[in-house]
Amino acid sequence: MRSSPRRARRYAAVLALPLAITLNALPVLADPSPQPVPPDRASSTAQDGVALLRVVVPDQAAVDKLVSLGVDLAEYTKPVDGGIEVHAVLSPEEARSLRDQGFDVRDAISDQGDYAANQAERRQALAAASADAAATDTLTPLRAEWFTSLDGQRFLSVEVKSSATDAQTVLTATWDSGPGTAPDSGGTATMSRFTDAGQYMYHRFNSPLPITQTPTKVTVTSNRGGTVTVPVTKWLGEERKAPSKHYVSDFVDHYMDPTEVTGRITGLAKEFPKIAEIVDLPYKTNGYRRAAQAQFGTGAGTAAASTFYVSSKAYGSEGGNDVSVALVRPAAASAPLSVAVNGKNVVVNLATDASGAISSTAAQVVAALNGDAAASALLTAATYRGNAGNGVVTEAAATKLTDGLQAPATVSRQPFQMKVLRVGKHRDGSKVGVFLYCQEHAREWVTPVTCVETAERLLRNYAHDAATRKLVDGLDIFIMPTANPDGGHYSMYDYNMQRRNMTNYCPVSNGDPGRRNSWGVDLNRNFTVGSVFDGYNGASTTCTSDTFGGPSELSEPETRNQVWLTDKYTNIKFAMNTHSYGGYFMWPPGAYKTAGREVLPRTDFGTESFFWNASGHILSAVQDWRGTAIWPGRTGPVVDVLYSAAGNSADEHWYNRGIIGWDFEVGADVYDQATKQYRAVGFQPPFAEGHEEAMEFSNGQVAILEVARAYAEDKDRPDSRLTVTAKDASSATFTFTTDEPANVYYTLDGSRPTLNSPKLAAAGMREGAQKITVTGTTEVHWFAVDIAGNVEKNYKPDGNGKNYNKETVKVGDTR
């Protein structure tokens, strides 16, 4: 930051009274006389093109020169290749003047178009706030629940949406302390305004509030005048049948690498051949392997110009680790630059000047190595991160290249054969299939042991537990304990925070050894639906980003294996992708475009209801192990409770194949009674905690199988009702209710309803069913279809029958 406090005050009005920069200007001389405002910086409605521009200068002296010239610099500097980046407020004339003086003036960070957009947004916000202030807002309750977690501590979670969307709207929740108690006896709290992608979503508590008594009602009031009172219901705690006394669990006692977990499922298939088999996936991974590398020079600051690195042509495990490079200073003066190769030992004889000093630059050494036939057969060389490499190198003793990989010899360096354990008595495609997969992200060590635990429970309890036998006999279960084996090995042995696989798509400018922990593709961003290549948010096209979506959709063998599996086994109707951490339970849609928060098509109301209905069963099973409750606010579609994840696998399987898919994030926050604060557990907690997470979420995976089996055996037809919710002399409003999650198709024109008729939708995000208003007496025809395809009253939507529901909604009759 180069602007002094005095100068900062002088230029506070950025576009008002700046100094001029004359062509070929010298440092500004003191002149007490008033200076005219140059025409291109004079005040006008268009601001005459003034913009905040990037300027890159070679060193601090050049920054000081800009200050002496009176350039309006922001309080910002950043080291970059080639020098220092600063930001300057410049008019077109001032930018031209600086360029004429040799300054590297680049692109705009913001310009007058941004200024106009900000002003327009401000006017819109003020208008909206003014309109909201003039009217009482309407509050729509979304959820109000209490629950217990871990040691029995009670919590309250409330979500309410206001019709006033501005930031000045404040909602306050007040609750009682049980039946017959005062409305405010339980407590009161201000709710937080939840926004995403710049849009208001609803109000909630940032985290569930600890409470001492169970409330029956909560009242939410708005400073805009709105108020609503709703009952507080219990979240989770569904009564579940206790497992048989012979039921066994707890089959993991340490974190396992992908080689171990793959060995475990292979062993299980051999041990239980009548009810299990291994499916070898067709696409082998790139493997736990890297090119061997060595760097000469530190790459720090000005040393970058004299730094270069080399990479072996062969993987380190295939001979690259045997290559060495030496930089030798000849004894003679005026020696030429040359390269000599003996086997896998490369010697660079550096050039010297007339005094005998080394004169070879990094760029010259790189060119010599890449131009020598014998050396270039062994390695490639590059300057450091795109630097021109004009700095003189230093001599270096023979240095062995290394791939740097630390895994023991038990971990193969060859392409990895991914495997899936298929469990079921009838593995012929006749049963509903369920796909359970773990460790899409390498650093999430709890997830593969969760999948292993579930596999062990299913096979070892089959013979003596009736409930397990029903699952294995009635379903076709596919378990992939590691969806990212290469990254999993790298995370276990080399860089524990590795998220992606190990495939390096970076150019040489990002290929040096210091970038080794920044390579790879985020597999959960590499699928085809709502991807970054389609303009969706939550993934990156930058090869060093942790959310790098790859060079193209399905570029990775790991993601192609998932698609192959779900395409080949079309009986797969359910899936569960287990991640960590945070304690989330989610489903599609999982991506949106930031502009306008354009979300992938939401599931229909019946399917959304099925997701929510199943949540209670699945999450109650999680809670059964040690009391962990997944919060209501962390349950729901990915885009509503977490963020946008462009190109994720759950969206891939749902939108392309109709597979009902969930996402677990194991590792719920732990409430600390001593500090009264929530504590995050992280990706790799001590195994004592990781073990508990694996046990409780294996419970959840088994519960998903129970949901799938209920779906497979569902032959019950849904029942639906039409309910009038409001009416007056000129209109009537009604909705439909069903006795199970189902879609309702209806007509208002007296025609026969079909699957092409209007379908009952949700009233809004996390809201109930829509309400339909008619302005004249209307005969409504409708029928319901549940998620398993059972049709109410055995009605044939594509037939000619008339056994659909009929009811007349009268307008004008207010009785």
Side-chain angles (χ1 to χ4, degrees):
M1 50 186 276
R2 301 301 304 165
S3 297
S4 68
R6 177 180 298 175
R7 186 173 178 280
R9 289 194 297 272
R10 184 176 183 183
Y11 295 115
V14 170
L15 303 176
L17 296 173
L19 294 176
I21 299 175
T22 58
L23 291 172
N24 303 314
L26 295 174
V28 177
L29 301 176
D31 183 354
S33 60
Q35 298 295 312
V37 177
D40 62 314
R41 292 289 289 269
S43 178
S44 77
T45 55
Q47 301 294 347
D48 299 297
V50 172
L52 179 63
L53 301 176
R54 302 179 203 273
V55 183
V56 174
V57 295
D59 50 32
Q60 186 59 46
V63 178
D64 295 338
K65 177 67 178 297
L66 289 173
V67 173
S68 70
L69 290 173
V71 175
D72 189 357
L73 292 181
E75 286 76 17
Y76 179 94
T77 64
K78 181 176 73 172
V80 295
D81 289 343
I84 302 172
E85 177 182 317
V86 296
H87 300 163
V89 178
L90 299 170
S91 69
E93 178 66 22
E94 290 168 337
R96 283 193 295 271
S97 174
L98 287 181
R99 290 190 178 104
D100 289 344
Q101 296 177 71
F103 286 97
D104 182 7
V105 181
R106 299 189 180 181
D107 58 314
I109 296 166
S110 62
D111 57 22
Q112 295 309 309
D114 299 303
Y115 168 75
N118 284 335
Q119 291 284 44
E121 285 183 1
R122 180 175 182 274
R123 288 192 296 271
Q124 184 178 10
L126 289 173
S130 177
D132 287 340
T136 299
D137 61 342
T138 300
L139 302 185
T140 302
L142 306 180
R143 308 188 70 83
E145 290 142 323
W146 72 273
F147 60 91
T148 61
S149 190
L150 293 181
D151 58 2
Q153 170 67 54
R154 294 184 184 92
F155 296 91
L156 176 65
S157 177
V158 180
E159 300 172 8
V160 174
K161 187 175 184 178
S162 171
S163 60
T165 61
D166 64 285
Q168 286 73 47
T169 301
V170 179
L171 302 190
T172 303
T174 302
W175 57 94
D176 61 26
S177 54
T181 61
D184 60 352
S185 59
T188 185
T190 301
M191 303 181 73
S192 296
R193 183 173 177 266
F194 173 38
T195 62
D196 187 50
Q199 291 193 14
Y200 168 70
M201 309 291 282
Y202 50 88
H203 280 73
R204 63 181 184 183
F205 301 137
N206 282 335
S207 57
L209 297 181
I211 54 177
T212 57
Q213 300 294 325
T214 302
T216 57
K217 292 182 180 180
V218 61
T219 298
V220 178
T221 57
S222 167
N223 63 334
R224 304 290 193 194
T227 184
V228 65
T229 298
V230 294
V232 179
T233 59
K234 186 177 183 182
W235 170 247
L236 307 184
E238 171 190 300
E239 291 294 329
R240 294 175 51 79
K241 184 178 179 180
S244 71
K245 62 181 180 179
H246 301 293
Y247 190 86
V248 289
S249 60
D250 197 353
F251 297 99
V252 295
D253 60 6
H254 65 282
Y255 288 126
M256 292 186 281
D257 71 28
T259 295
E260 288 180 272
V261 298
T262 302
R264 281 286 284 272
I265 65 169
T266 302
L268 286 171
K270 290 180 179 178
E271 187 176 352
F272 298 94
K274 293 183 178 181
I275 54 173
E277 65 184 88
I278 288 293
V279 177
D280 283 328
L281 300 178
Y283 303 104
K284 290 187 177 181
T285 71
N286 190 55
Y288 175 72
R289 54 185 182 173
R290 285 266 171 86
Q293 295 185 301
Q295 180 172 302
F296 298 87
T298 65
T302 57
S306 58
T307 300
F308 72 96
Y309 71 95
V310 294
S311 302
S312 63
K313 288 287 184 69
Y315 287 109
S317 55
E318 297 175 1
N321 288 336
D322 299 325
V323 177
S324 71
V325 175
L327 306 182
V328 177
R329 174 182 180 177
S334 302
L337 174 64
S338 65
V339 176
V341 179
N342 180 15
K344 292 186 177 182
N345 302 314
V346 180
V347 176
V348 180
N349 296 298
L350 301 171
T352 57
D353 60 18
S355 69
I358 295 172
S359 60
S360 295
T361 65
Q364 290 169 341
V365 173
V366 165
L369 286 168
N370 291 336
D372 183 88
S376 62
L378 295 172
L379 53 80
T380 58
T383 57
Y384 185 75
R385 299 187 182 178
N387 194 283
N390 294 326
V392 175
V393 302
T394 59
E395 60 185 316
T399 301
K400 273 287 187 72
L401 277 62
T402 176
D403 61 13
L405 299 178
Q406 303 299 312
T410 53
V411 174
S412 171
R413 268 58 173 176
Q414 295 302 306
F416 194 90
Q417 174 61 66
M418 294 179 64
K419 297 176 182 290
V420 166
L421 178 66
R422 188 179 187 184
V423 177
K425 183 178 181 180
H426 306 284
R427 302 184 304 280
D428 54 6
S430 62
K431 301 296 183 180
V432 168
V434 184
F435 177 33
L436 305 177
Y437 56 114
C438 295
Q439 204 180 26
E440 224 171 30
H441 289 148
R443 63 193 176 196
E444 298 167 6
W445 292 1
V446 175
T447 67
V449 295
T450 304
C451 269
V452 167
E453 173 70 19
T454 299
E456 292 272 8
R457 290 185 189 184
L458 291 173
L459 295 174
R460 299 200 184 280
N461 286 299
Y462 179 78
H464 48 73
D465 180 70
T468 300
R469 192 158 49 251
K470 288 178 181 178
L471 296 178
V472 174
D473 288 351
L475 296 172
D476 196 357
I477 305 162
F478 299 82
I479 302 176
M480 181 190 288
T482 177
N484 184 3
D486 297 346
H489 284 126
Y490 194 75
S491 174
M492 184 68 70
Y493 298 109
D494 300 280
Y495 172 58
N496 70 310
M497 285 299 147
Q498 179 77 4
R499 170 185 171 100
R500 297 166 281 166
N501 70 4
M502 289 181 63
T503 307
N504 178 16
Y505 288 102
C506 284
V508 293
S509 58
N510 275 311
D512 61 274
R515 294 289 200 215
R516 62 184 292 105
N517 293 337
S518 299
W519 299 328
V521 175
D522 183 343
L523 300 178
N524 205 31
R525 301 294 185 274
N526 189 234
F527 291 92
T528 67
V529 176
S531 77
V532 66
F533 305 102
D534 298 325
Y536 285 82
N537 187 53
S540 174
T541 56
T542 300
C543 70
T544 55
S545 168
D546 252 348
T547 57
F548 177 48
S552 61
E553 296 171 349
L554 295 180
S555 61
E556 305 309 291
E558 297 94 334
T559 55
R560 294 197 299 275
N561 277 332
Q562 284 195 40
V563 170
W564 177 88
L565 185 78
T566 51
D567 277 345
K568 179 176 177 62
Y569 300 102
T570 56
N571 60 320
I572 295 176
K573 302 300 180 185
F574 294 85
M576 164 52 68
N577 184 7
T578 302
H579 284 264
S580 77
Y581 60 99
Y584 288 84
F585 187 61
M586 302 174 291
W587 53 83
Y592 57 69
K593 295 179 180 178
T594 300
R597 201 175 187 274
E598 180 186 338
V599 177
L600 283 170
R602 291 184 178 272
T603 60
D604 57 38
F605 182 64
T607 305
E608 179 78 359
S609 300
F610 180 82
F611 276 123
W612 277 107
N613 193 60
S615 297
H617 179 78
I618 295 165
L619 298 182
S620 291
V622 172
Q623 191 178 43
D624 268 358
W625 181 263
R626 59 167 174 170
T628 297
I630 303 305
W631 303 349
R634 291 186 176 180
T635 303
V638 175
V639 294
D640 294 346
V641 300
L642 190 57
Y643 48 49
S644 177
N648 70 80
S649 58
D651 284 345
E652 169 77 27
H653 302 322
W654 166 249
Y655 292 100
N656 284 345
R657 295 163 197 88
I659 295 172
I660 295 174
W662 286 279
D663 296 300
F664 266 146
E665 293 278 352
V666 311
D669 290 356
V670 175
Y671 185 74
D672 190 323
Q673 287 284 8
T675 63
K676 305 300 182 185
Q677 299 290 326
Y678 289 96
R679 173 176 54 82
V681 296
F683 294 115
Q684 299 143 19
F687 188 73
E689 167 63 24
H691 170 271
E692 294 302 290
E693 293 173 17
M695 295 302 107
E696 62 194 2
F697 282 92
S698 178
N699 269 20
Q701 289 183 340
V702 171
I704 287 166
L705 300 179
E706 293 169 351
V707 169
R709 180 174 171 271
Y711 164 91
E713 297 185 348
D714 182 9
K715 299 297 186 289
D716 294 335
R717 304 187 186 282
D719 183 62
S720 61
R721 295 285 184 271
L722 184 153
T723 302
V724 176
T725 60
K727 64 166 51 181
D728 57 29
S730 60
S731 66
T733 299
F734 65 92
T735 191
F736 300 99
T737 58
T738 57
D739 65 345
E740 63 170 304
N743 283 309
V744 175
Y745 297 84
Y746 66 92
T747 63
L748 304 178
D749 59 1
S751 63
R752 186 177 180 277
T754 70
L755 294 174
N756 293 320
S757 299
K759 183 163 54 173
L760 184 69
M765 179 192 67
R766 299 174 78 81
E767 296 185 39
Q770 72 179 128
K771 295 177 180 178
I772 303 162
T773 299
V774 293
T775 56
T777 296
T778 302
E779 184 173 285
V780 183
H781 297 170
W782 79 93
F783 66 95
V785 184
D786 69 16
I787 304 306
N790 299 304
V791 183
E792 187 175 13
K793 297 180 178 179
N794 201 26
Y795 174 64
K796 307 296 183 185
D798 56 351
N800 297 312
K802 295 185 178 181
N803 57 326
Y804 47 79
N805 297 301
K806 310 178 188 68
E807 188 166 330
T808 300
V809 177
K810 297 180 179 180
V811 173
D813 181 0
T814 58
R815 291 176 295 174

